[in-house]
Amino acid sequence: MDRTKYEYIGNLSQLFHVENYRMEGGKKDGVRVTNVQNENGLNYTVVADRCMDIANLSFKGINISYINPSGIVAPEYYDRTGVNWLKSFTAGFVTTCGLDNVGNPCEDGEELGLHGRIGNTPADEYNVRIIREEEDNKVEITGIMGESFLFGSKLRLKRKITSFQEKNRLILEDEIVNEGFTEQEYMQLYHCNIGYPFLSPDCEIIIPSDEVKGANPYSQENIEKWNIVEEPSHVGEMCFLHQLKKSGDEYRVGMFNNKEKIGFTLSFDGKELERFLQWRYLNKGEYVVGLEPATNYAGGKKNERETDRILKLNPGETKQHRLQFDFYDSRESFDEAMKAFGCL
């Protein structure tokens, strides 16, 4: 790290700004959040009271995340029945789905709502700390979300989010732990939502796949549109299922906006997150593309058990997931990262 820059500042926050606060007003009132901005203009907001998910994210002053009309909603407004999850779905850069269900609502010994409960669960033992290191200062945000109840599951999700003062990288690491004394099923999907102005017809979607198919007949009819970003219209919702090309135990996908000259890659482990969904909803006023690493497709727990697979945790067992986002301010650096992975 070049330390001569410190001759020009009085406080590290001039270069690496980390702040905790509570939101005010409407359905977001009282929600705990942490905002982080590094010296290169990577800026993001972690919502402690919503599974430590990442709401707004921008790079070089350009917004990348998609925010739903509902905005940030406090967890007490969550309604788990049917598809009412959508009424408190912030979207944002990352929303966590699971652990009891991913995808469609279903009956499976109990009523399971759309995309599960974990994304509306507040963090316990929430901690934010800046770690000063010779190579690159970093901030670590940690917390634990519980999905445990009497006569039911005893799962805990331990999350750590790491970013850096100089490096344009964001790392999300999860540990899912079965703290009970019987085998426990779990499902998880990371709903990464990309919005305007980064998402526009100037944006390229690069998903190296061996196979792409539609998740439903309408999507299959429009399969040629999976990597096309159109102007807002009323084309409707599409979802594509990708069999990604793997390098070692890792997958990588990316997006780049040729007008704004910024882009990002998403790399994630392919051992447990073997499924990848791409959500496309380019309607007027609701303009979003979702990149979604997952343990399962989104047919709902009952359907996925019958047609796919459900991960299981033995008593005391832990599963680990890792997502890494890297951000680029030139096409050359983006292409180099994708080529290094064999994606271009």
Side-chain angles (χ1 to χ4, degrees), residues 218-243:
Y218 179 67
S219 300
Q220 187 63 38
E221 290 170 10
N222 291 276
I223 194 72
E224 75 283 352
K225 294 184 176 181
W226 75 263
N227 62 344
I228 298 174
V229 182
E230 303 165 317
E231 297 286 353
S233 63
H234 292 292
V235 69
E237 183 179 39
M238 301 177 197
C239 184
F240 303 105
L241 311 178
H242 291 259
Q243 180 56 59

mmCIF file with all atom_site columns, all heavy atoms in Angstrom, residues 218-243:
data_model
loop_
_atom_site.group_PDB
_atom_site.id
_atom_site.type_symbol
_atom_site.label_atom_id
_atom_site.label_alt_id
_atom_site.label_comp_id
_atom_site.label_asym_id
_atom_site.label_entity_id
_atom_site.label_seq_id
_atom_site.pdbx_PDB_ins_code
_atom_site.Cartn_x
_atom_site.Cartn_y
_atom_site.Cartn_z
_atom_site.occupancy
_atom_site.B_iso_or_equiv
_atom_site.pdbx_formal_charge
_atom_site.auth_seq_id
_atom_site.auth_comp_id
_atom_site.auth_asym_id
_atom_site.auth_atom_id
_atom_site.pdbx_PDB_model_num
ATOM 1   N N   . TYR A 1 218 ? -42.723 -20.071 -21.792 1.00 0.00 ? 218 TYR A N   1
ATOM 2   C CA  . TYR A 1 218 ? -42.535 -18.719 -22.323 1.00 0.00 ? 218 TYR A CA  1
ATOM 3   C C   . TYR A 1 218 ? -41.055 -18.368 -22.428 1.00 0.00 ? 218 TYR A C   1
ATOM 4   O O   . TYR A 1 218 ? -40.611 -17.806 -23.433 1.00 0.00 ? 218 TYR A O   1
ATOM 5   C CB  . TYR A 1 218 ? -43.253 -17.701 -21.445 1.00 0.00 ? 218 TYR A CB  1
ATOM 6   C CG  . TYR A 1 218 ? -43.099 -16.271 -21.920 1.00 0.00 ? 218 TYR A CG  1
ATOM 7   C CD1 . TYR A 1 218 ? -43.671 -15.855 -23.124 1.00 0.00 ? 218 TYR A CD1 1
ATOM 8   C CD2 . TYR A 1 218 ? -42.382 -15.340 -21.177 1.00 0.00 ? 218 TYR A CD2 1
ATOM 9   C CE1 . TYR A 1 218 ? -43.528 -14.545 -23.572 1.00 0.00 ? 218 TYR A CE1 1
ATOM 10  C CE2 . TYR A 1 218 ? -42.232 -14.038 -21.610 1.00 0.00 ? 218 TYR A CE2 1
ATOM 11  C CZ  . TYR A 1 218 ? -42.810 -13.640 -22.797 1.00 0.00 ? 218 TYR A CZ  1
ATOM 12  O OH  . TYR A 1 218 ? -42.667 -12.357 -23.239 1.00 0.00 ? 218 TYR A OH  1
ATOM 13  N N   . SER A 1 219 ? -40.289 -18.724 -21.413 1.00 0.00 ? 219 SER A N   1
ATOM 14  C CA  . SER A 1 219 ? -38.853 -18.459 -21.457 1.00 0.00 ? 219 SER A CA  1
ATOM 15  C C   . SER A 1 219 ? -38.172 -19.276 -22.553 1.00 0.00 ? 219 SER A C   1
ATOM 16  O O   . SER A 1 219 ? -37.267 -18.789 -23.240 1.00 0.00 ? 219 SER A O   1
ATOM 17  C CB  . SER A 1 219 ? -38.218 -18.775 -20.101 1.00 0.00 ? 219 SER A CB  1
ATOM 18  O OG  . SER A 1 219 ? -38.781 -17.988 -19.072 1.00 0.00 ? 219 SER A OG  1
ATOM 19  N N   . GLN A 1 220 ? -38.597 -20.521 -22.726 1.00 0.00 ? 220 GLN A N   1
ATOM 20  C CA  . GLN A 1 220 ? -38.009 -21.360 -23.765 1.00 0.00 ? 220 GLN A CA  1
ATOM 21  C C   . GLN A 1 220 ? -38.315 -20.800 -25.151 1.00 0.00 ? 220 GLN A C   1
ATOM 22  O O   . GLN A 1 220 ? -37.458 -20.846 -26.049 1.00 0.00 ? 220 GLN A O   1
ATOM 23  C CB  . GLN A 1 220 ? -38.529 -22.796 -23.649 1.00 0.00 ? 220 GLN A CB  1
ATOM 24  C CG  . GLN A 1 220 ? -37.845 -23.782 -24.575 1.00 0.00 ? 220 GLN A CG  1
ATOM 25  C CD  . GLN A 1 220 ? -36.352 -23.936 -24.293 1.00 0.00 ? 220 GLN A CD  1
ATOM 26  O OE1 . GLN A 1 220 ? -35.922 -23.934 -23.140 1.00 0.00 ? 220 GLN A OE1 1
ATOM 27  N NE2 . GLN A 1 220 ? -35.558 -24.058 -25.352 1.00 0.00 ? 220 GLN A NE2 1
ATOM 28  N N   . GLU A 1 221 ? -39.504 -20.252 -25.348 1.00 0.00 ? 221 GLU A N   1
ATOM 29  C CA  . GLU A 1 221 ? -39.863 -19.627 -26.626 1.00 0.00 ? 221 GLU A CA  1
ATOM 30  C C   . GLU A 1 221 ? -38.964 -18.431 -26.940 1.00 0.00 ? 221 GLU A C   1
ATOM 31  O O   . GLU A 1 221 ? -38.770 -18.082 -28.110 1.00 0.00 ? 221 GLU A O   1
ATOM 32  C CB  . GLU A 1 221 ? -41.324 -19.166 -26.594 1.00 0.00 ? 221 GLU A CB  1
ATOM 33  C CG  . GLU A 1 221 ? -42.337 -20.299 -26.598 1.00 0.00 ? 221 GLU A CG  1
ATOM 34  C CD  . GLU A 1 221 ? -43.741 -19.804 -26.325 1.00 0.00 ? 221 GLU A CD  1
ATOM 35  O OE1 . GLU A 1 221 ? -43.950 -18.555 -26.321 1.00 0.00 ? 221 GLU A OE1 1
ATOM 36  O OE2 . GLU A 1 221 ? -44.635 -20.642 -26.109 1.00 0.00 ? 221 GLU A OE2 1
ATOM 37  N N   . ASN A 1 222 ? -38.434 -17.796 -25.890 1.00 0.00 ? 222 ASN A N   1
ATOM 38  C CA  . ASN A 1 222 ? -37.602 -16.602 -26.055 1.00 0.00 ? 222 ASN A CA  1
ATOM 39  C C   . ASN A 1 222 ? -36.146 -16.876 -25.692 1.00 0.00 ? 222 ASN A C   1
ATOM 40  O O   . ASN A 1 222 ? -35.420 -15.971 -25.279 1.00 0.00 ? 222 ASN A O   1
ATOM 41  C CB  . ASN A 1 222 ? -38.152 -15.470 -25.195 1.00 0.00 ? 222 ASN A CB  1
ATOM 42  C CG  . ASN A 1 222 ? -39.471 -14.941 -25.687 1.00 0.00 ? 222 ASN A CG  1
ATOM 43  O OD1 . ASN A 1 222 ? -39.524 -14.085 -26.572 1.00 0.00 ? 222 ASN A OD1 1
ATOM 44  N ND2 . ASN A 1 222 ? -40.560 -15.448 -25.125 1.00 0.00 ? 222 ASN A ND2 1
ATOM 45  N N   . ILE A 1 223 ? -35.700 -18.105 -25.869 1.00 0.00 ? 223 ILE A N   1
ATOM 46  C CA  . ILE A 1 223 ? -34.387 -18.516 -25.411 1.00 0.00 ? 223 ILE A CA  1
ATOM 47  C C   . ILE A 1 223 ? -33.271 -17.685 -26.058 1.00 0.00 ? 223 ILE A C   1
ATOM 48  O O   . ILE A 1 223 ? -32.219 -17.456 -25.444 1.00 0.00 ? 223 ILE A O   1
ATOM 49  C CB  . ILE A 1 223 ? -34.168 -20.031 -25.686 1.00 0.00 ? 223 ILE A CB  1
ATOM 50  C CG1 . ILE A 1 223 ? -32.949 -20.552 -24.908 1.00 0.00 ? 223 ILE A CG1 1
ATOM 51  C CG2 . ILE A 1 223 ? -34.061 -20.304 -27.175 1.00 0.00 ? 223 ILE A CG2 1
ATOM 52  C CD1 . ILE A 1 223 ? -33.164 -20.659 -23.437 1.00 0.00 ? 223 ILE A CD1 1
ATOM 53  N N   . GLU A 1 224 ? -33.500 -17.178 -27.284 1.00 0.00 ? 224 GLU A N   1
ATOM 54  C CA  . GLU A 1 224 ? -32.453 -16.407 -27.970 1.00 0.00 ? 224 GLU A CA  1
ATOM 55  C C   . GLU A 1 224 ? -32.227 -15.037 -27.316 1.00 0.00 ? 224 GLU A C   1
ATOM 56  O O   . GLU A 1 224 ? -31.246 -14.347 -27.614 1.00 0.00 ? 224 GLU A O   1
ATOM 57  C CB  . GLU A 1 224 ? -32.825 -16.227 -29.447 1.00 0.00 ? 224 GLU A CB  1
ATOM 58  C CG  . GLU A 1 224 ? -33.909 -15.205 -29.731 1.00 0.00 ? 224 GLU A CG  1
ATOM 59  C CD  . GLU A 1 224 ? -35.314 -15.700 -29.407 1.00 0.00 ? 224 GLU A CD  1
ATOM 60  O OE1 . GLU A 1 224 ? -35.465 -16.895 -29.094 1.00 0.00 ? 224 GLU A OE1 1
ATOM 61  O OE2 . GLU A 1 224 ? -36.258 -14.894 -29.491 1.00 0.00 ? 224 GLU A OE2 1
ATOM 62  N N   . LYS A 1 225 ? -33.108 -14.640 -26.392 1.00 0.00 ? 225 LYS A N   1
ATOM 63  C CA  . LYS A 1 225 ? -32.981 -13.331 -25.760 1.00 0.00 ? 225 LYS A CA  1
ATOM 64  C C   . LYS A 1 225 ? -32.221 -13.366 -24.438 1.00 0.00 ? 225 LYS A C   1
ATOM 65  O O   . LYS A 1 225 ? -32.084 -12.337 -23.788 1.00 0.00 ? 225 LYS A O   1
ATOM 66  C CB  . LYS A 1 225 ? -34.376 -12.740 -25.501 1.00 0.00 ? 225 LYS A CB  1
ATOM 67  C CG  . LYS A 1 225 ? -35.147 -12.404 -26.761 1.00 0.00 ? 225 LYS A CG  1
ATOM 68  C CD  . LYS A 1 225 ? -36.475 -11.738 -26.415 1.00 0.00 ? 225 LYS A CD  1
ATOM 69  C CE  . LYS A 1 225 ? -37.226 -11.312 -27.663 1.00 0.00 ? 225 LYS A CE  1
ATOM 70  N NZ  . LYS A 1 225 ? -38.509 -10.631 -27.315 1.00 0.00 ? 225 LYS A NZ  1
ATOM 71  N N   . TRP A 1 226 ? -31.707 -14.516 -24.055 1.00 0.00 ? 226 TRP A N   1
ATOM 72  C CA  . TRP A 1 226 ? -31.159 -14.630 -22.703 1.00 0.00 ? 226 TRP A CA  1
ATOM 73  C C   . TRP A 1 226 ? -30.031 -13.634 -22.435 1.00 0.00 ? 226 TRP A C   1
ATOM 74  O O   . TRP A 1 226 ? -29.868 -13.156 -21.310 1.00 0.00 ? 226 TRP A O   1
ATOM 75  C CB  . TRP A 1 226 ? -30.694 -16.061 -22.416 1.00 0.00 ? 226 TRP A CB  1
ATOM 76  C CG  . TRP A 1 226 ? -29.419 -16.498 -23.067 1.00 0.00 ? 226 TRP A CG  1
ATOM 77  C CD1 . TRP A 1 226 ? -29.287 -17.213 -24.213 1.00 0.00 ? 226 TRP A CD1 1
ATOM 78  C CD2 . TRP A 1 226 ? -28.086 -16.250 -22.597 1.00 0.00 ? 226 TRP A CD2 1
ATOM 79  N NE1 . TRP A 1 226 ? -27.965 -17.441 -24.494 1.00 0.00 ? 226 TRP A NE1 1
ATOM 80  C CE2 . TRP A 1 226 ? -27.198 -16.856 -23.516 1.00 0.00 ? 226 TRP A CE2 1
ATOM 81  C CE3 . TRP A 1 226 ? -27.547 -15.596 -21.498 1.00 0.00 ? 226 TRP A CE3 1
ATOM 82  C CZ2 . TRP A 1 226 ? -25.814 -16.814 -23.374 1.00 0.00 ? 226 TRP A CZ2 1
ATOM 83  C CZ3 . TRP A 1 226 ? -26.157 -15.544 -21.344 1.00 0.00 ? 226 TRP A CZ3 1
ATOM 84  C CH2 . TRP A 1 226 ? -25.308 -16.153 -22.275 1.00 0.00 ? 226 TRP A CH2 1
ATOM 85  N N   . ASN A 1 227 ? -29.232 -13.296 -23.456 1.00 0.00 ? 227 ASN A N   1
ATOM 86  C CA  . ASN A 1 227 ? -28.100 -12.383 -23.243 1.00 0.00 ? 227 ASN A CA  1
ATOM 87  C C   . ASN A 1 227 ? -28.306 -11.029 -23.910 1.00 0.00 ? 227 ASN A C   1
ATOM 88  O O   . ASN A 1 227 ? -27.358 -10.275 -24.106 1.00 0.00 ? 227 ASN A O   1
ATOM 89  C CB  . ASN A 1 227 ? -26.800 -13.011 -23.740 1.00 0.00 ? 227 ASN A CB  1
ATOM 90  C CG  . ASN A 1 227 ? -26.814 -13.287 -25.233 1.00 0.00 ? 227 ASN A CG  1
ATOM 91  O OD1 . ASN A 1 227 ? -27.877 -13.283 -25.850 1.00 0.00 ? 227 ASN A OD1 1
ATOM 92  N ND2 . ASN A 1 227 ? -25.652 -13.530 -25.795 1.00 0.00 ? 227 ASN A ND2 1
ATOM 93  N N   . ILE A 1 228 ? -29.542 -10.694 -24.234 1.00 0.00 ? 228 ILE A N   1
ATOM 94  C CA  . ILE A 1 228 ? -29.863 -9.421  -24.875 1.00 0.00 ? 228 ILE A CA  1
ATOM 95  C C   . ILE A 1 228 ? -30.515 -8.489  -23.860 1.00 0.00 ? 228 ILE A C   1
ATOM 96  O O   . ILE A 1 228 ? -31.476 -8.867  -23.192 1.00 0.00 ? 228 ILE A O   1
ATOM 97  C CB  . ILE A 1 228 ? -30.797 -9.631  -26.082 1.00 0.00 ? 228 ILE A CB  1
ATOM 98  C CG1 . ILE A 1 228 ? -30.104 -10.498 -27.148 1.00 0.00 ? 228 ILE A CG1 1
ATOM 99  C CG2 . ILE A 1 228 ? -31.222 -8.290  -26.677 1.00 0.00 ? 228 ILE A CG2 1
ATOM 100 C CD1 . ILE A 1 228 ? -30.994 -10.874 -28.303 1.00 0.00 ? 228 ILE A CD1 1
ATOM 101 N N   . VAL A 1 229 ? -30.007 -7.270  -23.758 1.00 0.00 ? 229 VAL A N   1
ATOM 102 C CA  . VAL A 1 229 ? -30.612 -6.256  -22.892 1.00 0.00 ? 229 VAL A CA  1
ATOM 103 C C   . VAL A 1 229 ? -31.310 -5.238  -23.785 1.00 0.00 ? 229 VAL A C   1
ATOM 104 O O   . VAL A 1 229 ? -30.653 -4.492  -24.520 1.00 0.00 ? 229 VAL A O   1
ATOM 105 C CB  . VAL A 1 229 ? -29.562 -5.571  -21.994 1.00 0.00 ? 229 VAL A CB  1
ATOM 106 C CG1 . VAL A 1 229 ? -30.238 -4.558  -21.071 1.00 0.00 ? 229 VAL A CG1 1
ATOM 107 C CG2 . VAL A 1 229 ? -28.787 -6.597  -21.182 1.00 0.00 ? 229 VAL A CG2 1
ATOM 108 N N   . GLU A 1 230 ? -32.626 -5.227  -23.728 1.00 0.00 ? 230 GLU A N   1
ATOM 109 C CA  . GLU A 1 230 ? -33.435 -4.368  -24.589 1.00 0.00 ? 230 GLU A CA  1
ATOM 110 C C   . GLU A 1 230 ? -33.849 -3.100  -23.860 1.00 0.00 ? 230 GLU A C   1
ATOM 111 O O   . GLU A 1 230 ? -33.677 -2.967  -22.650 1.00 0.00 ? 230 GLU A O   1
ATOM 112 C CB  . GLU A 1 230 ? -34.686 -5.133  -25.038 1.00 0.00 ? 230 GLU A CB  1
ATOM 113 C CG  . GLU A 1 230 ? -34.394 -6.429  -25.762 1.00 0.00 ? 230 GLU A CG  1
ATOM 114 C CD  . GLU A 1 230 ? -35.633 -7.319  -25.871 1.00 0.00 ? 230 GLU A CD  1
ATOM 115 O OE1 . GLU A 1 230 ? -36.359 -7.424  -24.857 1.00 0.00 ? 230 GLU A OE1 1
ATOM 116 O OE2 . GLU A 1 230 ? -35.856 -7.872  -26.953 1.00 0.00 ? 230 GLU A OE2 1
ATOM 117 N N   . GLU A 1 231 ? -34.438 -2.169  -24.598 1.00 0.00 ? 231 GLU A N   1
ATOM 118 C CA  . GLU A 1 231 ? -35.091 -1.014  -23.985 1.00 0.00 ? 231 GLU A CA  1
ATOM 119 C C   . GLU A 1 231 ? -36.281 -1.504  -23.157 1.00 0.00 ? 231 GLU A C   1
ATOM 120 O O   . GLU A 1 231 ? -36.840 -2.579  -23.427 1.00 0.00 ? 231 GLU A O   1
ATOM 121 C CB  . GLU A 1 231 ? -35.584 -0.048  -25.063 1.00 0.00 ? 231 GLU A CB  1
ATOM 122 C CG  . GLU A 1 231 ? -34.480 0.572   -25.914 1.00 0.00 ? 231 GLU A CG  1
ATOM 123 C CD  . GLU A 1 231 ? -33.700 1.643   -25.176 1.00 0.00 ? 231 GLU A CD  1
ATOM 124 O OE1 . GLU A 1 231 ? -34.107 2.002   -24.048 1.00 0.00 ? 231 GLU A OE1 1
ATOM 125 O OE2 . GLU A 1 231 ? -32.680 2.107   -25.719 1.00 0.00 ? 231 GLU A OE2 1
ATOM 126 N N   . PRO A 1 232 ? -36.697 -0.741  -22.142 1.00 0.00 ? 232 PRO A N   1
ATOM 127 C CA  . PRO A 1 232 ? -37.877 -1.143  -21.349 1.00 0.00 ? 232 PRO A CA  1
ATOM 128 C C   . PRO A 1 232 ? -39.104 -1.308  -22.238 1.00 0.00 ? 232 PRO A C   1
ATOM 129 O O   . PRO A 1 232 ? -39.354 -0.514  -23.148 1.00 0.00 ? 232 PRO A O   1
ATOM 130 C CB  . PRO A 1 232 ? -38.054 0.025   -20.372 1.00 0.00 ? 232 PRO A CB  1
ATOM 131 C CG  . PRO A 1 232 ? -36.706 0.653   -20.270 1.00 0.00 ? 232 PRO A CG  1
ATOM 132 C CD  . PRO A 1 232 ? -36.087 0.498   -21.629 1.00 0.00 ? 232 PRO A CD  1
ATOM 133 N N   . SER A 1 233 ? -39.878 -2.362  -21.980 1.00 0.00 ? 233 SER A N   1
ATOM 134 C CA  . SER A 1 233 ? -41.084 -2.654  -22.769 1.00 0.00 ? 233 SER A CA  1
ATOM 135 C C   . SER A 1 233 ? -42.056 -3.370  -21.847 1.00 0.00 ? 233 SER A C   1
ATOM 136 O O   . SER A 1 233 ? -42.061 -3.177  -20.643 1.00 0.00 ? 233 SER A O   1
ATOM 137 C CB  . SER A 1 233 ? -40.721 -3.508  -23.986 1.00 0.00 ? 233 SER A CB  1
ATOM 138 O OG  . SER A 1 233 ? -40.213 -4.764  -23.573 1.00 0.00 ? 233 SER A OG  1
ATOM 139 N N   . HIS A 1 234 ? -42.881 -4.213  -22.414 1.00 0.00 ? 234 HIS A N   1
ATOM 140 C CA  . HIS A 1 234 ? -43.777 -5.066  -21.624 1.00 0.00 ? 234 HIS A CA  1
ATOM 141 C C   . HIS A 1 234 ? -43.609 -6.515  -22.075 1.00 0.00 ? 234 HIS A C   1
ATOM 142 O O   . HIS A 1 234 ? -44.577 -7.258  -22.241 1.00 0.00 ? 234 HIS A O   1
ATOM 143 C CB  . HIS A 1 234 ? -45.235 -4.605  -21.760 1.00 0.00 ? 234 HIS A CB  1
ATOM 144 C CG  . HIS A 1 234 ? -45.498 -3.273  -21.130 1.00 0.00 ? 234 HIS A CG  1
ATOM 145 N ND1 . HIS A 1 234 ? -45.459 -3.073  -19.766 1.00 0.00 ? 234 HIS A ND1 1
ATOM 146 C CD2 . HIS A 1 234 ? -45.764 -2.068  -21.684 1.00 0.00 ? 234 HIS A CD2 1
ATOM 147 C CE1 . HIS A 1 234 ? -45.708 -1.804  -19.493 1.00 0.00 ? 234 HIS A CE1 1
ATOM 148 N NE2 . HIS A 1 234 ? -45.897 -1.179  -20.635 1.00 0.00 ? 234 HIS A NE2 1
ATOM 149 N N   . VAL A 1 235 ? -42.348 -6.918  -22.257 1.00 0.00 ? 235 VAL A N   1
ATOM 150 C CA  . VAL A 1 235 ? -42.065 -8.254  -22.782 1.00 0.00 ? 235 VAL A CA  1
ATOM 151 C C   . VAL A 1 235 ? -42.370 -9.341  -21.748 1.00 0.00 ? 235 VAL A C   1
ATOM 152 O O   . VAL A 1 235 ? -42.596 -10.497 -22.095 1.00 0.00 ? 235 VAL A O   1
ATOM 153 C CB  . VAL A 1 235 ? -40.600 -8.329  -23.259 1.00 0.00 ? 235 VAL A CB  1
ATOM 154 C CG1 . VAL A 1 235 ? -39.639 -8.257  -22.086 1.00 0.00 ? 235 VAL A CG1 1
ATOM 155 C CG2 . VAL A 1 235 ? -40.348 -9.573  -24.099 1.00 0.00 ? 235 VAL A CG2 1
ATOM 156 N N   . GLY A 1 236 ? -42.367 -8.980  -20.455 1.00 0.00 ? 236 GLY A N   1
ATOM 157 C CA  . GLY A 1 236 ? -42.719 -9.952  -19.423 1.00 0.00 ? 236 GLY A CA  1
ATOM 158 C C   . GLY A 1 236 ? -41.520 -10.654 -18.812 1.00 0.00 ? 236 GLY A C   1
ATOM 159 O O   . GLY A 1 236 ? -40.374 -10.474 -19.210 1.00 0.00 ? 236 GLY A O   1
ATOM 160 N N   . GLU A 1 237 ? -41.817 -11.495 -17.832 1.00 0.00 ? 237 GLU A N   1
ATOM 161 C CA  . GLU A 1 237 ? -40.803 -12.166 -17.033 1.00 0.00 ? 237 GLU A CA  1
ATOM 162 C C   . GLU A 1 237 ? -40.277 -13.419 -17.724 1.00 0.00 ? 237 GLU A C   1
ATOM 163 O O   . GLU A 1 237 ? -41.046 -14.214 -18.249 1.00 0.00 ? 237 GLU A O   1
ATOM 164 C CB  . GLU A 1 237 ? -41.387 -12.526 -15.674 1.00 0.00 ? 237 GLU A CB  1
ATOM 165 C CG  . GLU A 1 237 ? -40.416 -13.165 -14.715 1.00 0.00 ? 237 GLU A CG  1
ATOM 166 C CD  . GLU A 1 237 ? -41.060 -13.470 -13.384 1.00 0.00 ? 237 GLU A CD  1
ATOM 167 O OE1 . GLU A 1 237 ? -42.237 -13.892 -13.384 1.00 0.00 ? 237 GLU A OE1 1
ATOM 168 O OE2 . GLU A 1 237 ? -40.401 -13.306 -12.348 1.00 0.00 ? 237 GLU A OE2 1
ATOM 169 N N   . MET A 1 238 ? -38.956 -13.569 -17.691 1.00 0.00 ? 238 MET A N   1
ATOM 170 C CA  . MET A 1 238 ? -38.316 -14.771 -18.222 1.00 0.00 ? 238 MET A CA  1
ATOM 171 C C   . MET A 1 238 ? -37.294 -15.272 -17.204 1.00 0.00 ? 238 MET A C   1
ATOM 172 O O   . MET A 1 238 ? -36.731 -14.499 -16.437 1.00 0.00 ? 238 MET A O   1
ATOM 173 C CB  . MET A 1 238 ? -37.607 -14.495 -19.548 1.00 0.00 ? 238 MET A CB  1
ATOM 174 C CG  . MET A 1 238 ? -38.496 -13.974 -20.646 1.00 0.00 ? 238 MET A CG  1
ATOM 175 S SD  . MET A 1 238 ? -37.544 -13.592 -22.138 1.00 0.00 ? 238 MET A SD  1
ATOM 176 C CE  . MET A 1 238 ? -38.725 -12.562 -23.024 1.00 0.00 ? 238 MET A CE  1
ATOM 177 N N   . CYS A 1 239 ? -37.046 -16.560 -17.224 1.00 0.00 ? 239 CYS A N   1
ATOM 178 C CA  . CYS A 1 239 ? -36.037 -17.153 -16.349 1.00 0.00 ? 239 CYS A CA  1
ATOM 179 C C   . CYS A 1 239 ? -35.319 -18.250 -17.128 1.00 0.00 ? 239 CYS A C   1
ATOM 180 O O   . CYS A 1 239 ? -35.967 -19.114 -17.737 1.00 0.00 ? 239 CYS A O   1
ATOM 181 C CB  . CYS A 1 239 ? -36.672 -17.717 -15.084 1.00 0.00 ? 239 CYS A CB  1
ATOM 182 S SG  . CYS A 1 239 ? -35.470 -18.375 -13.905 1.00 0.00 ? 239 CYS A SG  1
ATOM 183 N N   . PHE A 1 240 ? -33.997 -18.197 -17.118 1.00 0.00 ? 240 PHE A N   1
ATOM 184 C CA  . PHE A 1 240 ? -33.186 -19.151 -17.859 1.00 0.00 ? 240 PHE A CA  1
ATOM 185 C C   . PHE A 1 240 ? -32.304 -19.944 -16.906 1.00 0.00 ? 240 PHE A C   1
ATOM 186 O O   . PHE A 1 240 ? -31.762 -19.399 -15.931 1.00 0.00 ? 240 PHE A O   1
ATOM 187 C CB  . PHE A 1 240 ? -32.325 -18.421 -18.887 1.00 0.00 ? 240 PHE A CB  1
ATOM 188 C CG  . PHE A 1 240 ? -33.116 -17.589 -19.856 1.00 0.00 ? 240 PHE A CG  1
ATOM 189 C CD1 . PHE A 1 240 ? -33.145 -16.204 -19.739 1.00 0.00 ? 240 PHE A CD1 1
ATOM 190 C CD2 . PHE A 1 240 ? -33.863 -18.186 -20.857 1.00 0.00 ? 240 PHE A CD2 1
ATOM 191 C CE1 . PHE A 1 240 ? -33.887 -15.437 -20.616 1.00 0.00 ? 240 PHE A CE1 1
ATOM 192 C CE2 . PHE A 1 240 ? -34.615 -17.427 -21.737 1.00 0.00 ? 240 PHE A CE2 1
ATOM 193 C CZ  . PHE A 1 240 ? -34.628 -16.040 -21.619 1.00 0.00 ? 240 PHE A CZ  1
ATOM 194 N N   . LEU A 1 241 ? -32.170 -21.224 -17.179 1.00 0.00 ? 241 LEU A N   1
ATOM 195 C CA  . LEU A 1 241 ? -31.370 -22.137 -16.365 1.00 0.00 ? 241 LEU A CA  1
ATOM 196 C C   . LEU A 1 241 ? -30.090 -22.455 -17.119 1.00 0.00 ? 241 LEU A C   1
ATOM 197 O O   . LEU A 1 241 ? -30.128 -22.950 -18.245 1.00 0.00 ? 241 LEU A O   1
ATOM 198 C CB  . LEU A 1 241 ? -32.149 -23.422 -16.078 1.00 0.00 ? 241 LEU A CB  1
ATOM 199 C CG  . LEU A 1 241 ? -33.585 -23.245 -15.569 1.00 0.00 ? 241 LEU A CG  1
ATOM 200 C CD1 . LEU A 1 241 ? -34.244 -24.606 -15.370 1.00 0.00 ? 241 LEU A CD1 1
ATOM 201 C CD2 . LEU A 1 241 ? -33.622 -22.419 -14.297 1.00 0.00 ? 241 LEU A CD2 1
ATOM 202 N N   . HIS A 1 242 ? -28.956 -22.171 -16.499 1.00 0.00 ? 242 HIS A N   1
ATOM 203 C CA  . HIS A 1 242 ? -27.654 -22.342 -17.138 1.00 0.00 ? 242 HIS A CA  1
ATOM 204 C C   . HIS A 1 242 ? -26.899 -23.515 -16.531 1.00 0.00 ? 242 HIS A C   1
ATOM 205 O O   . HIS A 1 242 ? -26.868 -23.678 -15.307 1.00 0.00 ? 242 HIS A O   1
ATOM 206 C CB  . HIS A 1 242 ? -26.799 -21.087 -16.963 1.00 0.00 ? 242 HIS A CB  1
ATOM 207 C CG  . HIS A 1 242 ? -27.283 -19.900 -17.730 1.00 0.00 ? 242 HIS A CG  1
ATOM 208 N ND1 . HIS A 1 242 ? -26.732 -19.492 -18.921 1.00 0.00 ? 242 HIS A ND1 1
ATOM 209 C CD2 . HIS A 1 242 ? -28.279 -19.015 -17.456 1.00 0.00 ? 242 HIS A CD2 1
ATOM 210 C CE1 . HIS A 1 242 ? -27.355 -18.420 -19.354 1.00 0.00 ? 242 HIS A CE1 1
ATOM 211 N NE2 . HIS A 1 242 ? -28.291 -18.096 -18.479 1.00 0.00 ? 242 HIS A NE2 1
ATOM 212 N N   . GLN A 1 243 ? -26.279 -24.304 -17.393 1.00 0.00 ? 243 GLN A N   1
ATOM 213 C CA  . GLN A 1 243 ? -25.264 -25.245 -16.959 1.00 0.00 ? 243 GLN A CA  1
ATOM 214 C C   . GLN A 1 243 ? -23.932 -24.579 -17.247 1.00 0.00 ? 243 GLN A C   1
ATOM 215 O O   . GLN A 1 243 ? -23.446 -24.569 -18.381 1.00 0.00 ? 243 GLN A O   1
ATOM 216 C CB  . GLN A 1 243 ? -25.382 -26.575 -17.693 1.00 0.00 ? 243 GLN A CB  1
ATOM 217 C CG  . GLN A 1 243 ? -24.338 -27.595 -17.279 1.00 0.00 ? 243 GLN A CG  1
ATOM 218 C CD  . GLN A 1 243 ? -24.343 -27.874 -15.779 1.00 0.00 ? 243 GLN A CD  1
ATOM 219 O OE1 . GLN A 1 243 ? -25.348 -28.302 -15.226 1.00 0.00 ? 243 GLN A OE1 1
ATOM 220 N NE2 . GLN A 1 243 ? -23.206 -27.636 -15.138 1.00 0.00 ? 243 GLN A NE2 1
#
